[in-house]
Amino acid sequence: MSEGRGPVGHRHEGRVGGRRAVWWSAGEGPVVLFLHGWALSPASYREGLARIAERGARVVAPALPGFGGTDDLPPADLSLAGYARWAGRFLETLGENTPVTVVGHSFGGGVAVRLAHDLPAAVSRLVLVNSIGGAVWAEGPAGARMMSERPWWDWGLHLQEDLGPAWGLGRVVPVVLSDAATNALRNPLAVWRVAELARTADLRVELDELRRRGLPVVIVWGRQDRVLPEASLTALRLALGDAEVRTVEGTHSWLITDPDAFTEIITNVLGERPLRPLLGGDDAATRPPGRA
Protein backbone atom coordinates (compact mmCIF):
# COMPACT_ATOMS: atom_id res chain seq x y z
CA MET A 1 0.00 0.00 0.00
CA SER A 2 1.32 3.43 -0.94
CA GLU A 3 0.71 6.68 0.90
CA GLY A 4 1.20 10.39 0.23
CA ARG A 5 -0.30 13.78 0.85
CA GLY A 6 -3.79 14.36 -0.49
CA PRO A 7 -6.61 16.92 -0.42
CA VAL A 8 -7.80 15.43 2.89
CA GLY A 9 -4.87 14.39 5.08
CA HIS A 10 -3.10 11.39 3.58
CA ARG A 11 -3.78 9.83 0.20
CA HIS A 12 -3.53 6.04 0.05
CA GLU A 13 -3.45 3.50 -2.74
CA GLY A 14 -4.02 -0.20 -2.18
CA ARG A 15 -6.06 -3.17 -3.30
CA VAL A 16 -9.65 -3.99 -2.41
CA GLY A 17 -10.93 -7.26 -3.78
CA GLY A 18 -7.81 -7.49 -5.94
CA ARG A 19 -8.49 -4.15 -7.65
CA ARG A 20 -6.86 -0.74 -7.26
CA ALA A 21 -8.44 1.53 -4.67
CA VAL A 22 -7.71 5.14 -3.67
CA TRP A 23 -8.73 6.73 -0.39
CA TRP A 24 -7.95 9.60 1.95
CA SER A 25 -7.69 9.64 5.74
CA ALA A 26 -7.13 12.30 8.37
CA GLY A 27 -7.37 12.75 12.12
CA GLU A 28 -7.53 10.52 15.17
CA GLY A 29 -10.56 9.37 17.10
CA PRO A 30 -13.83 7.56 16.33
CA VAL A 31 -13.92 6.39 12.73
CA VAL A 32 -16.19 8.20 10.28
CA LEU A 33 -16.49 6.49 6.90
CA PHE A 34 -17.55 9.07 4.28
CA LEU A 35 -19.09 7.95 0.98
CA HIS A 36 -19.25 10.63 -1.71
CA GLY A 37 -21.88 11.52 -4.27
CA TRP A 38 -22.31 10.81 -7.97
CA ALA A 39 -19.49 11.77 -10.36
CA LEU A 40 -17.33 13.20 -7.55
CA SER A 41 -14.59 12.01 -5.21
CA PRO A 42 -13.55 12.97 -1.65
CA ALA A 43 -11.61 15.91 -3.12
CA SER A 44 -14.85 17.88 -3.57
CA TYR A 45 -15.57 17.61 0.16
CA ARG A 46 -12.06 18.43 1.34
CA GLU A 47 -12.87 21.42 3.54
CA GLY A 48 -15.63 19.80 5.56
CA LEU A 49 -13.84 16.47 5.96
CA ALA A 50 -10.63 18.17 7.08
CA ARG A 51 -12.52 20.17 9.71
CA ILE A 52 -14.30 17.10 11.05
CA ALA A 53 -10.90 15.45 11.44
CA GLU A 54 -9.62 18.53 13.29
CA ARG A 55 -12.47 18.12 15.75
CA GLY A 56 -11.22 14.71 16.88
CA ALA A 57 -12.45 12.05 14.43
CA ARG A 58 -10.62 9.70 12.11
CA VAL A 59 -12.16 10.45 8.73
CA VAL A 60 -11.73 7.79 6.07
CA ALA A 61 -13.00 8.71 2.61
CA PRO A 62 -12.61 6.25 -0.27
CA ALA A 63 -13.08 7.09 -3.92
CA LEU A 64 -15.90 4.73 -4.80
CA PRO A 65 -15.32 2.28 -7.67
CA GLY A 66 -15.22 4.03 -11.04
CA PHE A 67 -14.28 7.42 -9.55
CA GLY A 68 -11.20 9.20 -8.27
CA GLY A 69 -8.75 6.59 -9.51
CA THR A 70 -10.43 3.55 -7.94
CA ASP A 71 -10.99 0.71 -10.40
CA ASP A 72 -14.49 -0.17 -11.60
CA LEU A 73 -16.44 -2.97 -9.99
CA PRO A 74 -16.63 -6.22 -11.96
CA PRO A 75 -19.68 -6.19 -14.28
CA ALA A 76 -21.55 -8.67 -12.08
CA ASP A 77 -21.26 -6.29 -9.10
CA LEU A 78 -22.55 -3.11 -10.76
CA SER A 79 -25.39 -2.52 -8.32
CA LEU A 80 -25.91 -0.78 -4.99
CA ALA A 81 -25.45 -4.16 -3.33
CA GLY A 82 -22.13 -4.54 -5.18
CA TYR A 83 -20.96 -1.11 -4.05
CA ALA A 84 -21.95 -2.02 -0.47
CA ARG A 85 -19.93 -5.24 -0.64
CA TRP A 86 -16.97 -3.23 -1.88
CA ALA A 87 -17.34 -0.81 1.05
CA GLY A 88 -17.38 -3.74 3.45
CA ARG A 89 -14.20 -5.16 1.91
CA PHE A 90 -12.66 -1.70 2.09
CA LEU A 91 -13.24 -1.58 5.85
CA GLU A 92 -11.68 -5.04 6.13
CA THR A 93 -8.66 -3.76 4.20
CA LEU A 94 -8.27 -1.01 6.79
CA GLY A 95 -8.44 -3.54 9.60
CA GLU A 96 -11.67 -2.08 11.00
CA ASN A 97 -13.39 -4.88 12.90
CA THR A 98 -15.77 -2.78 15.00
CA PRO A 99 -18.86 -0.92 13.74
CA VAL A 100 -18.27 2.61 12.44
CA THR A 101 -20.32 5.72 11.74
CA VAL A 102 -21.09 5.94 8.03
CA VAL A 103 -21.93 9.25 6.37
CA GLY A 104 -23.22 9.11 2.81
CA HIS A 105 -24.10 11.96 0.46
CA SER A 106 -26.48 11.46 -2.47
CA PHE A 107 -25.39 8.25 -4.24
CA GLY A 108 -23.05 7.55 -1.33
CA GLY A 109 -26.08 7.59 0.96
CA GLY A 110 -27.63 4.77 -1.06
CA VAL A 111 -24.41 2.76 -0.75
CA ALA A 112 -24.41 3.47 3.00
CA VAL A 113 -27.97 2.16 3.37
CA ARG A 114 -27.13 -1.09 1.59
CA LEU A 115 -23.93 -1.45 3.61
CA ALA A 116 -25.86 -1.12 6.88
CA HIS A 117 -28.58 -3.46 5.63
CA ASP A 118 -26.36 -6.15 4.15
CA LEU A 119 -23.45 -6.00 6.63
CA PRO A 120 -25.03 -4.90 9.93
CA ALA A 121 -21.89 -5.67 11.95
CA ALA A 122 -19.99 -2.98 10.02
CA VAL A 123 -22.18 0.03 10.85
CA SER A 124 -22.98 1.60 14.23
CA ARG A 125 -25.03 4.51 12.85
CA LEU A 126 -25.92 6.19 9.59
CA VAL A 127 -25.98 9.81 8.54
CA LEU A 128 -27.80 10.23 5.21
CA VAL A 129 -27.15 13.59 3.57
CA ASN A 130 -29.61 14.40 0.76
CA SER A 131 -29.51 10.70 0.02
CA ILE A 132 -31.02 8.68 -2.79
CA GLY A 133 -33.26 5.75 -1.91
CA GLY A 134 -36.64 7.36 -1.20
CA ALA A 135 -37.54 6.66 -4.84
CA VAL A 136 -40.44 9.14 -5.00
CA TRP A 137 -40.20 12.06 -7.40
CA ALA A 138 -43.54 13.75 -6.77
CA GLU A 139 -46.93 13.16 -5.17
CA GLY A 140 -50.11 13.89 -7.10
CA PRO A 141 -53.82 13.09 -7.27
CA ALA A 142 -53.04 9.84 -9.08
CA GLY A 143 -50.48 8.80 -6.47
CA ALA A 144 -46.71 8.83 -6.29
CA ARG A 145 -44.56 9.37 -9.37
CA MET A 146 -41.29 7.50 -9.05
CA MET A 147 -37.77 8.81 -9.63
CA SER A 148 -37.34 6.25 -12.38
CA GLU A 149 -40.09 8.09 -14.33
CA ARG A 150 -38.26 11.41 -14.17
CA PRO A 151 -36.91 12.54 -17.56
CA TRP A 152 -33.16 12.88 -17.90
CA TRP A 153 -33.49 16.50 -19.07
CA ASP A 154 -35.25 17.36 -15.79
CA TRP A 155 -32.42 15.83 -13.77
CA GLY A 156 -29.86 17.84 -15.74
CA LEU A 157 -31.80 21.08 -15.45
CA HIS A 158 -32.10 20.86 -11.68
CA LEU A 159 -28.51 19.72 -11.25
CA GLN A 160 -27.40 22.90 -13.03
CA GLU A 161 -29.72 24.99 -10.84
CA ASP A 162 -28.36 23.27 -7.75
CA LEU A 163 -24.84 24.51 -8.51
CA GLY A 164 -26.08 28.07 -9.05
CA PRO A 165 -25.56 29.34 -5.46
CA ALA A 166 -22.02 28.00 -5.49
CA TRP A 167 -20.88 30.20 -8.38
CA GLY A 168 -20.28 33.02 -5.93
CA LEU A 169 -17.86 30.81 -4.01
CA GLY A 170 -14.89 30.95 -6.31
CA ARG A 171 -12.95 28.32 -4.41
CA VAL A 172 -15.78 25.74 -4.58
CA VAL A 173 -16.91 25.55 -8.19
CA PRO A 174 -13.46 24.93 -9.76
CA VAL A 175 -12.84 22.03 -7.37
CA VAL A 176 -16.22 20.40 -8.03
CA LEU A 177 -16.11 20.93 -11.79
CA SER A 178 -12.53 19.67 -12.00
CA ASP A 179 -13.46 16.60 -9.96
CA ALA A 180 -16.54 15.81 -12.06
CA ALA A 181 -14.79 16.53 -15.37
CA THR A 182 -11.83 14.33 -14.46
CA ASN A 183 -14.13 11.45 -13.58
CA ALA A 184 -16.22 11.94 -16.72
CA LEU A 185 -13.13 11.94 -18.95
CA ARG A 186 -11.42 9.08 -17.12
CA ASN A 187 -14.44 6.79 -16.95
CA PRO A 188 -17.58 8.11 -18.70
CA LEU A 189 -19.22 4.68 -18.59
CA ALA A 190 -19.00 4.59 -14.79
CA VAL A 191 -20.53 8.08 -14.57
CA TRP A 192 -23.45 6.94 -16.73
CA ARG A 193 -23.95 3.61 -14.93
CA VAL A 194 -23.95 5.17 -11.47
CA ALA A 195 -26.37 7.87 -12.64
CA GLU A 196 -28.76 5.12 -13.69
CA LEU A 197 -28.32 3.31 -10.36
CA ALA A 198 -29.11 6.55 -8.53
CA ARG A 199 -32.14 7.31 -10.73
CA THR A 200 -33.74 3.91 -10.16
CA ALA A 201 -32.74 3.32 -6.52
CA ASP A 202 -35.62 2.28 -4.26
CA LEU A 203 -34.34 1.43 -0.79
CA ARG A 204 -37.58 1.75 1.17
CA VAL A 205 -37.65 -1.95 2.05
CA GLU A 206 -34.06 -1.83 3.29
CA LEU A 207 -34.75 1.36 5.26
CA ASP A 208 -37.79 -0.24 6.89
CA GLU A 209 -35.61 -3.17 7.94
CA LEU A 210 -33.05 -0.78 9.47
CA ARG A 211 -35.91 0.82 11.38
CA ARG A 212 -37.00 -2.59 12.65
CA ARG A 213 -33.46 -3.35 13.82
CA GLY A 214 -33.24 -0.04 15.66
CA LEU A 215 -30.13 1.25 13.90
CA PRO A 216 -29.58 4.95 14.73
CA VAL A 217 -30.15 6.96 11.54
CA VAL A 218 -29.95 10.72 11.07
CA ILE A 219 -31.27 12.33 7.88
CA VAL A 220 -29.75 15.71 6.97
CA TRP A 221 -31.35 17.63 4.13
CA GLY A 222 -30.74 20.88 2.27
CA ARG A 223 -34.15 22.54 2.07
CA GLN A 224 -33.53 23.99 -1.40
CA ASP A 225 -32.62 20.65 -2.98
CA ARG A 226 -34.10 20.36 -6.47
CA VAL A 227 -32.10 17.31 -7.51
CA LEU A 228 -33.88 15.17 -4.91
CA PRO A 229 -37.17 16.94 -4.16
CA GLU A 230 -39.11 17.06 -0.91
CA ALA A 231 -41.19 14.03 -1.88
CA SER A 232 -38.02 11.93 -1.78
CA LEU A 233 -37.22 13.17 1.73
CA THR A 234 -40.78 12.37 2.83
CA ALA A 235 -40.43 8.83 1.48
CA LEU A 236 -37.19 8.35 3.41
CA ARG A 237 -38.83 9.57 6.61
CA LEU A 238 -41.84 7.30 6.18
CA ALA A 239 -39.64 4.26 5.58
CA LEU A 240 -37.46 4.98 8.61
CA GLY A 241 -40.27 5.88 10.99
CA ASP A 242 -38.80 7.84 13.89
CA ALA A 243 -35.42 8.75 12.38
CA GLU A 244 -33.94 12.06 13.45
CA VAL A 245 -34.21 14.66 10.67
CA ARG A 246 -32.26 17.91 10.46
CA THR A 247 -32.77 20.42 7.70
CA VAL A 248 -30.35 23.15 6.69
CA GLU A 249 -30.31 26.05 4.29
CA GLY A 250 -28.83 24.89 1.03
CA THR A 251 -29.17 22.84 -2.12
CA HIS A 252 -28.31 19.23 -2.89
CA SER A 253 -24.60 19.91 -2.44
CA TRP A 254 -24.86 22.21 0.60
CA LEU A 255 -22.20 20.27 2.52
CA ILE A 256 -19.64 21.25 -0.12
CA THR A 257 -20.58 24.93 -0.15
CA ASP A 258 -21.09 25.21 3.63
CA PRO A 259 -18.43 23.03 5.28
CA ASP A 260 -18.96 24.75 8.64
CA ALA A 261 -22.59 23.62 8.90
CA PHE A 262 -21.60 20.12 7.76
CA THR A 263 -18.86 19.96 10.38
CA GLU A 264 -21.18 21.05 13.17
CA ILE A 265 -23.85 18.51 12.28
CA ILE A 266 -21.47 15.57 12.05
CA THR A 267 -19.71 16.46 15.30
CA ASN A 268 -23.10 16.73 17.00
CA VAL A 269 -23.97 13.25 15.74
CA LEU A 270 -20.74 12.05 17.33
CA GLY A 271 -21.76 13.88 20.51
CA GLU A 272 -21.32 10.89 22.80
CA ARG A 273 -17.65 11.84 22.63
CA PRO A 274 -17.50 15.65 22.33
CA LEU A 275 -15.05 16.84 19.73
CA ARG A 276 -12.72 19.78 19.98
CA PRO A 277 -13.84 23.27 18.88
CA LEU A 278 -12.83 24.23 15.37
CA LEU A 279 -9.32 25.57 15.14
CA GLY A 280 -9.47 29.34 14.99
CA GLY A 281 -12.88 29.57 16.68
CA ASP A 282 -14.90 30.33 13.53
CA ASP A 283 -18.27 31.64 14.75
CA ALA A 284 -20.05 30.29 11.67
CA ALA A 285 -19.21 26.76 12.73
CA THR A 286 -21.12 27.10 15.99
CA ARG A 287 -24.50 28.14 14.62
CA PRO A 288 -27.10 25.47 15.29
CA PRO A 289 -28.52 23.63 12.28
CA GLY A 290 -32.23 23.76 11.61
CA ARG A 291 -34.48 20.92 12.67
CA ALA A 292 -37.37 19.56 10.65
Side-chain angles (χ1 to χ4, degrees):
M1 182 174 68
S2 63
E3 179 178 326
R5 296 297 299 174
V8 183
H10 297 278
R11 181 183 186 276
H12 311 267
E13 289 189 22
R15 313 291 288 184
V16 174
R19 292 172 179 251
R20 180 176 183 258
V22 176
W23 67 95
W24 289 261
S25 67
E28 296 293 336
V31 173
V32 176
L33 174 66
F34 179 80
L35 303 177
H36 63 80
W38 170 76
L40 300 177
S41 79
S44 288
Y45 306 83
R46 63 183 68 182
E47 290 194 35
L49 297 180
R51 294 179 196 188
I52 293 167
E54 289 171 357
R55 296 281 288 267
R58 182 185 175 215
V59 176
V60 180
L64 291 169
F67 303 104
T70 296
D71 284 346
D72 270 332
L73 290 173
D77 285 342
L78 288 171
S79 64
L80 281 172
Y83 273 89
R85 283 191 295 273
W86 182 93
R89 295 186 189 117
F90 171 72
L91 288 172
E92 291 175 359
T93 298
L94 298 185
E96 292 297 335
N97 52 19
T98 57
V100 303
T101 296
V102 181
V103 180
H105 174 228
S106 192
F107 175 73
V111 177
V113 170
R114 283 304 304 247
L115 175 63
H117 178 271
D118 298 350
L119 298 170
V123 180
S124 61
R125 53 191 159 184
L126 278 182
V127 183
L128 303 177
V129 185
N130 291 76
S131 173
I132 66 168
V136 178
W137 173 25
E139 294 284 357
R145 296 186 66 187
M146 307 308 289
M147 283 287 193
S148 58
E149 301 176 60
R150 188 178 186 180
W152 277 106
W153 64 262
D154 190 73
W155 280 94
L157 176 65
H158 287 93
L159 184 61
Q160 183 179 13
E161 290 177 351
D162 187 79
L163 283 173
W167 287 108
L169 302 174
R171 71 188 186 283
V172 173
V173 169
V175 172
V176 173
L177 292 183
S178 174
D179 202 8
T182 299
N183 283 317
L185 290 171
R186 178 188 285 147
N187 198 337
L189 190 56
V191 171
W192 172 260
R193 285 171 172 166
V194 170
E196 185 64 12
L197 287 178
R199 190 178 72 90
T200 58
D202 186 347
L203 296 171
R204 289 174 293 176
V205 170
E206 289 82 356
L207 290 165
D208 182 66
E209 173 63 17
L210 296 181
R211 177 197 58 77
R212 189 189 66 79
R213 294 178 192 168
L215 179 73
V217 181
V218 178
I219 300 173
V220 189
W221 206 267
R223 288 189 285 271
Q224 287 75 45
D225 192 344
R226 299 294 179 267
V227 177
L228 296 177
E230 186 176 356
S232 186
L233 168 61
T234 300
L236 287 176
R237 297 179 73 165
L238 288 173
L240 283 166
D242 60 353
E244 180 180 356
V245 179
R246 304 187 184 195
T247 64
V248 301
E249 287 298 319
T251 61
H252 185 70
S253 301
W254 66 270
L255 65 169
I256 297 174
T257 58
D258 192 353
D260 288 337
F262 180 51
T263 302
E264 191 64 22
I265 286 174
I266 299 304
T267 53
N268 284 341
V269 169
L270 297 173
E272 293 178 5
R273 175 182 170 181
L275 304 184
R276 294 187 293 275
L278 277 176
L279 300 179
D282 187 347
D283 291 338
T286 63
R287 61 179 181 270
R291 292 287 295 264

